[in-house]
Amino acid sequence: MLLPPRLEEHAYQVYDWVLENRQVDYPAMATALGLSPSELRDAVETLVDWRLLRELPDRSAIVAARPDAALAEAMLPLENAITRYRLEVSRTRDEFDRLMSIYLVAGDQSATEPLSCADDVDDALSDLAASCTREVLVANPGKDPVPRALRQALWGETRPRDGVHDGVRVRVLYQHPARLDATTRAHTSAARRAAAEVRTVGELHDRIVVFDRQVAVLIDDGAQGSVVVRETSVVDFLARAFDRSWEQGLDFAGEAGRQHEARELADSVQQDIVRLLVQGIRDEEIARRLDISVRTCRRHIAKVMERLGSESRFQAGYLLRKRGWEFLITSSDDRTGDVR
């Protein structure tokens, strides 16, 4: 069992008596509390299991311990188990993401259409946008803007929109550092004027566009590996992954909201860094996944360790699991703009 048995009323009575009388004394407790020997024994054993009663090093007596210290010690096995399960969930998701990539390449070829060059990608995006009737989901990691053909189709960046029909909901996800790019802010302002919704998140793994939850375009950085996917289960998987990221995103208003977003953005970036740090991921990989510099990543980690009062990353990881991440939100440190 990860946790001791629950504390019954007898245990509270015994703990209170030991606090007042300094040590366990079975005959005196039986007289004072009116409990049977078995009830006393069970109560003491449960309190010992919870570390609320401890035997002195010389074994001369059993005394009461502070509840906060006892709780921290008793909960450690459960916290460690939770951490292991979280890591296992993360590893399993990564493995299945890799399997999904293999499936897209080697699976049912009739459900995929390779795109061999940038022009093919633009043509596919334009055609699919023109036939879309309900919803467009755009995940755009890194600092490159949303493809020009898609921007034109979705919010008519350089001329009146001639792509999607009126009433189509458009949602766009960038990574947090994209907020600092002047070009992206301008694109976002244009998108918002056309009623598109834009948010940013810490991590986005692939450049993906989903139309009406029926067809998706996976865009490779060099366009050589780009592909149109029509396999229903794959498209549904990609759309649901987008929805999970969207729920965690911060609203991005473009130029208009720049002055009001920096503090919330810095908090979110730091939480993403801490989440990956606890998983044991190296600084360079954290920086790559969050699209920030290694220097910024290490600066955040140093601040976290300072606030925790930890001398090592191992100790910091333990304290983070023990205290949670709320202290990052309530910290008074000035983190405005610290996301590069």
Side-chain angles (χ1 to χ4, degrees), residues 163-214:
V164 297
H165 302 288
D166 290 338
V168 173
R169 185 187 184 191
V170 177
R171 288 187 284 164
V172 182
L173 276 176
Y174 289 104
Q175 286 182 272
H176 292 320
R179 294 172 179 257
L180 305 177
D181 180 72
T183 301
T184 302
R185 292 198 303 271
H187 292 330
T188 298
S189 295
R192 296 295 291 258
R193 287 194 295 271
E197 302 167 58
V198 186
R199 293 183 181 180
T200 63
V201 293
E203 283 190 88
L204 282 176
H205 297 289
D206 298 291
R207 186 167 284 102
I208 298 170
V209 187
V210 181
F211 298 92
D212 285 341
R213 297 182 182 256
Q214 294 180 346

Side-chain angles (χ1 to χ4, degrees), residues 3 5 11 21 82 89 91 146 152 186 231 251 291 294 328:
L3 291 178
N21 295 274
I82 291 172
V89 168
R91 281 193 295 266
V146 169
Q152 176 56 50
E231 170 61 42
D251 189 60
D291 196 33
V294 176
L328 295 175

Side-chain angles (χ1 to χ4, degrees), residues 145-167:
V146 169
R148 180 183 56 80
L150 195 59
R151 299 198 307 269
Q152 176 56 50
L154 297 182
W155 52 81
E157 194 169 65
T158 58
R159 62 182 185 274
R161 185 172 65 176
D162 57 5
V164 297
H165 302 288
D166 290 338

Side-chain angles (χ1 to χ4, degrees), residues 278-322:
V278 170
Q279 295 178 23
I281 298 175
R282 297 172 61 86
D283 297 356
E284 293 79 6
E285 177 65 12
I286 293 176
R288 185 191 66 78
R289 289 172 63 166
L290 300 183
D291 196 33
I292 60 176
S293 69
V294 176
R295 181 179 179 183
T296 293
C297 177
R298 289 173 176 164
R299 185 165 62 245
H300 279 295
I301 293 172
K303 287 182 179 180
V304 171
M305 293 176 64
E306 180 181 355
R307 291 178 198 134
L308 287 168
S310 63
E311 298 179 356
S312 68
R313 295 190 179 202
F314 177 81
Q315 185 183 17
Y318 165 74
L319 292 173
L320 283 166
R321 290 191 293 270
K322 177 180 176 182

Side-chain angles (χ1 to χ4, degrees), residues 12 18 26 32 63 67 77 117 141 190 195 208 216 254 267 284:
Y12 290 97
V18 176
Y26 283 101
V63 299
C117 64
I208 298 170
D267 286 333
E284 293 79 6

